[in-house]
Amino acid sequence: MRPLSLACALVSSAALAVGCTEEAASPPEPVTPAPASTASQAPPVSYACESGQSVVVSYPDTATARLSYRGQEYVLRTALSASGARFVGSGVEWWIASRGDTESATLSRLGPNEEVGTAVLERCSRPSSGPLPIGPTPAEGGGATPASAPPCRGPQLRLSNEGRDAGAGNRVANIGLQNVGTQPCSLTGYPTVVLQDAHGRNLTAIRSEQAGGSYFTPGQPPAPVVLAPQAKAAFELAWSAIPHEGQGERTCPNAARIRVTAPGDTSPAPLELNLAPCGGRVKVSPIRPLAGAPQPASGSGV
């Protein structure tokens, strides 16, 4: 084993977060995942990554993690860690640790021994909202639940601008997500949002950050949303309208549209939306039901 890999097996998760492993130059070829478990899963947890990708993880039992990344599914098992929680398997390592109000996570490629991560693929985070949802979540009421309704995918979602709010130099846009399919589907956590200019080029200087709750009701954790056909959910996109002159910013970049990818999906849906976020970032709230939108009737199946 190389000395670097051995050292990283012994450090705390705090050291892991600052990058003791080698950085991956590019994502590896997809690893063939282990067979998927048929047991019911706890609601998945979505993490936003520095690259703009998202990692979605569910914990069907106390010893297993099922991870979705770039359209691939990985089944991992718990492994020894100095702190935090670490899972390995299917060629990757997933290491999470909570620090204050943020839960940090690192996805790495496993080394030759298949036990220690040696190349970082993604550094991700999410607002900490209490203990991880490990273990199956029982269904309530026998109706459509996140365990029975499949995740919503890009082709069955239509975006809409549900209005804006402004105040004290801040702007908030409410973005609707409508299920235009014929079957219920579920959304849990945070969407991935990419801003583009009028020519369809990604504005890489503007990053999307997950925010606990919404702009007006902060601190609310993500909750599963099941959308009946034609029903709508929504999330908030918030940004500053005041240039950060102390950082040399005189004008703020203009975006002409956004591309939104549902949690755990890889197919984005577009929406024309003009905004000029300052400070190089926008904040994204968890997905929530849209007030007044139809939801699955109690006792209905999928």
Side-chain angles (χ1 to χ4, degrees), residues 4 27 47 53 55 75 77 80 84 92 109 111 142 228 234 264 271 287-288:
L4 178 62
Y47 298 79
Q53 294 289 328
V55 174
V75 178
R77 66 186 186 280
L80 182 65
V92 297
R109 182 193 295 131
L271 176 67
I287 297 171
R288 69 184 191 281

Side-chain angles (χ1 to χ4, degrees), residues 210-248:
Q210 296 177 351
S214 68
Y215 181 79
F216 295 104
T217 56
Q220 293 182 345
V225 178
V226 177
L227 292 181
Q230 305 307 312
K232 282 186 178 182
F235 68 92
E236 291 178 4
L237 192 65
W239 66 94
S240 171
I242 301 176
H244 290 198
E245 295 185 356
Q247 301 175 8

Side-chain angles (χ1 to χ4, degrees), residues 181-200:
T182 59
Q183 298 293 325
C185 65
S186 61
L187 294 165
T188 305
Y190 297 83
T192 299
V193 179
V194 175
L195 278 62
Q196 295 185 325
D197 63 17
H199 301 287

Side-chain angles (χ1 to χ4, degrees), residues 96-219:
I96 57 177
S98 293
R99 299 175 183 83
D101 59 356
T102 301
E103 184 178 294
S104 300
T106 304
L107 178 66
S108 303
R109 182 193 295 131
L110 286 178
N113 64 354
E114 291 293 307
E115 289 295 336
V116 179
T118 59
V120 174
L121 303 176
E122 296 285 357
R123 300 185 189 280
C124 315
S125 64
R126 74 179 185 102
S128 181
S129 56
L132 288 171
I134 295 178
T137 299
E140 297 180 2
T145 68
S148 59
C152 298
R153 302 301 184 189
Q156 70 188 112
L157 292 175
R158 179 183 297 155
L159 302 186
S160 59
N161 185 350
E162 298 295 325
R164 295 193 184 192
D165 293 292
N170 295 300
R171 305 289 184 268
V172 180
N174 292 280
I175 310 301
L177 304 107
Q178 184 178 23
N179 177 10
V180 295
T182 59
Q183 298 293 325
C185 65
S186 61
L187 294 165
T188 305
Y190 297 83
T192 299
V193 179
V194 175
L195 278 62
Q196 295 185 325
D197 63 17
H199 301 287
R201 296 172 298 200
N202 292 349
L203 298 177
T204 56
I206 303 175
R207 66 183 186 275
S208 297
E209 296 181 351
Q210 296 177 351
S214 68
Y215 181 79
F216 295 104
T217 56

Side-chain angles (χ1 to χ4, degrees), residues 5 11 30 33 41 74 88 127 134 137 160 173 206 220 235 254 283:
S5 299
V11 296
Q41 296 184 19
Y74 304 90
V88 298
I134 295 178
T137 299
S160 59
I206 303 175
Q220 293 182 345
F235 68 92
N254 290 307
K283 292 187 176 182

